[in-house]
Amino acid sequence: MKFTIIIPCYNVAKYISKTLDSVLTQTNKNIEVLLINDGSTDNTLNILKEYEKQYPHIKVFDKFNGGVSSARNEGLKNATGDYLYFLDGDDTISSDLFQNMFDILERNKDIDFISFGYQIEKNPVEKEIFSHDIYNNKLFKKYDILELFLERKLRQSMCSFIVKKDIVADNSILFDENTTNGEDQEFQIKCMYHTKVSYYCSDILFNYIQRDDSAVSVFSKNYLTLLGVFERLLSYIKLDDKNKDIILSLRVYALLEYFYVFRRASKYNNEELIKEIVDRYVIFDNKFKFKLDKTIVKIFILKVLFKISHKLLSILFRKV
């Protein structure tokens, strides 16, 4: 059993060594590491090549700058492992991540997808942990883990799961290279949708490092690509239409993401983008039944306010 680690790298010369050192300390050595240099303009490529010279299981691919989705797709094209894992070039993983995954898979070879706990390190002292003991060591059938994800009962990041390569290859799952926001959600949801058996491990095995010098995310038209993600997903899953609950949960999830984008545009008082967002509201079918919980009540209130006056809701969002 081999694991492929795909690491997109763009101008991470300051951080990539720490990331790779965490990969090289893995207790399970049956891994291949694919480093995708995405047109870096700093010293990243030279550092990657030095690691490639020293370690035979590390391979470097150098390509023009096409964005993180393009880099991840390049990794998918060259992966030879049985299971895939995605890691960013400025974060770290626990040394026993792949040994844990191996042990789980040895106990149940039918598992297609494993999600695990992770943390966000805001500084050396402050950490935000996402781990769900209630689901620890639990097997899930078909759509169960996707349902938990869509209902936000199970938190998962792009770097806190592994997926069987066959799931990705057999269903032609790729990252949309024209999407700059939400491409990771689209990929995860499609993978979970096609898995037959999933598993959750609450151990904290991935560390997302939030840096002071990270670029400030300024709202722009690029955020509207997040709406495109859910337009595509709603069509993608509706084509199958085997599970009405999943379609309902996806619509609820999509509406929350819609109002997130609407709120961002309102905060920046960008009337042009607000108009474009409002015009895309018609993609959501209003004729489905809601389950009664806090999230649904929240959406219902937002929908009512939006229907009365999206301009008023926009003003309210600016003040929140």
Side-chain angles (χ1 to χ4, degrees):
M1 185 189 305
K2 185 165 78 172
F3 301 96
T4 296
I5 308 171
I6 297 171
I7 308 180
C9 304
Y10 176 71
N11 288 355
V12 287
K14 286 194 229 174
Y15 316 116
I16 189 62
S17 291
K18 188 173 181 180
T19 298
L20 291 177
D21 289 347
S22 78
V23 171
L24 292 167
T25 61
Q26 290 301 300
T27 52
N28 185 308
K29 303 296 184 185
N30 202 7
I31 58 176
E32 69 172 358
V33 185
L34 307 185
L35 304 175
I36 319 298
N37 181 56
D38 189 38
S40 296
T41 56
D42 63 1
N43 197 40
T44 295
L45 182 58
N46 291 331
I47 296 171
L48 301 185
K49 286 183 174 178
E50 283 300 314
Y51 275 91
E52 185 181 37
K53 284 179 191 175
Q54 294 179 57
Y55 302 98
H57 59 295
I58 291 181
K59 298 176 184 176
V60 174
F61 298 86
D62 186 25
K63 61 182 285 298
F64 65 90
N65 180 248
V68 67
S69 291
S70 172
R72 286 172 176 156
N73 285 340
E74 182 70 17
L76 288 173
K77 186 170 72 175
N78 291 282
T80 64
D82 303 294
Y83 285 82
L84 306 171
Y85 176 65
F86 299 91
L87 179 63
D88 290 338
D90 55 354
D91 297 321
T92 61
I93 55 177
S94 169
S95 61
D96 58 353
L97 192 162
F98 294 104
Q99 187 59 50
N100 278 14
M101 298 300 101
F102 177 83
D103 292 342
I104 292 166
L105 293 167
E106 278 291 286
R107 293 195 297 270
N108 192 322
K109 298 187 188 308
D110 293 330
I111 294 173
D112 300 317
F113 187 98
I114 302 177
S115 181
F116 48 83
Y118 69 100
Q119 67 182 12
I120 298 176
E121 184 180 312
K122 298 181 180 180
N123 56 58
V125 176
E126 188 181 1
K127 294 180 173 68
E128 189 175 5
I129 292 174
F130 299 97
S131 174
H132 309 282
D133 288 338
I134 190 172
Y135 305 123
N136 189 36
N137 298 327
K138 186 171 180 180
L139 281 169
F140 297 94
K141 294 179 181 177
K142 197 57 178 166
Y143 304 118
D144 291 352
I145 199 164
L146 175 56
E147 187 84 30
L148 290 171
F149 176 83
L150 292 174
E151 291 179 358
R152 289 174 163 79
K153 293 177 181 176
L154 187 147
R155 291 290 297 269
Q156 178 178 280
S157 85
M158 189 63 220
C159 304
S160 70
F161 70 90
I162 65 166
V163 60
K164 188 179 285 184
K165 184 187 174 186
D166 288 348
I167 293 294
V168 174
D170 293 349
N171 296 288
S172 303
I173 303 174
L174 292 170
F175 293 88
D176 189 287
E177 296 183 15
N178 295 314
T179 299
T180 52
N181 288 85
E183 76 291 337
D184 54 343
Q185 293 184 67
E186 183 172 13
F187 185 89
Q188 290 176 70
I189 288 170
K190 285 183 176 180
C191 286
M192 287 186 280
Y193 184 69
H194 288 290
T195 58
K196 292 179 181 176
V197 181
S198 304
Y199 185 95
Y200 182 75
C201 169
S202 65
D203 293 352
I204 308 298
L205 300 173
F206 164 64
N207 187 40
Y208 169 70
I209 302 172
Q210 211 171 68
R211 304 186 186 281
D212 292 336
D213 60 350
S214 296
V216 177
S217 181
V218 177
F219 186 84
S220 70
K221 194 165 185 174
N222 288 339
Y223 266 85
L224 271 61
T225 62
L226 180 61
L227 302 184
V229 164
F230 292 100
E231 291 170 356
R232 290 193 298 273
L233 282 171
L234 284 163
S235 297
Y236 184 85
I237 290 181
K238 199 170 184 179
L239 287 174
D240 189 343
D241 208 22
K242 290 177 183 173
N243 192 308
K244 304 291 184 185
D245 288 338
I246 288 297
I247 295 173
L248 169 61
S249 296
L250 181 60
R251 283 175 173 157
V252 171
Y253 191 96
L255 276 166
L256 284 173
E257 295 298 303
Y258 176 89
F259 282 116
Y260 165 75
V261 176
F262 182 76
R263 182 178 180 180
R264 289 297 303 272
S266 301
K267 285 276 189 183
Y268 280 88
N269 200 18
N270 191 320
E271 294 296 337
E272 183 183 343
L273 289 185
I274 289 172
K275 183 181 183 308
E276 197 167 337
I277 295 166
V278 168
D279 290 343
R280 293 175 77 157
Y281 186 74
V282 295
I283 68 166
F284 301 113
D285 180 6
N286 293 317
K287 297 179 181 178
F288 58 89
K289 294 179 181 178
F290 281 126
K291 295 178 284 186
L292 190 61
D293 62 27
K294 289 180 181 178
T295 301
I296 302 305
V297 170
K298 179 180 177 181
I299 288 179
F300 178 76
I301 293 169
L302 287 171
K303 282 166 68 78
V304 169
L305 290 172
F306 187 89
K307 214 165 187 180
I308 293 170
S309 172
H310 70 265
K311 290 184 179 178
L312 175 61
L313 184 57
S314 176
I315 292 168
L316 289 173
F317 272 155
R318 283 174 215 165
K319 293 179 180 179
V320 174

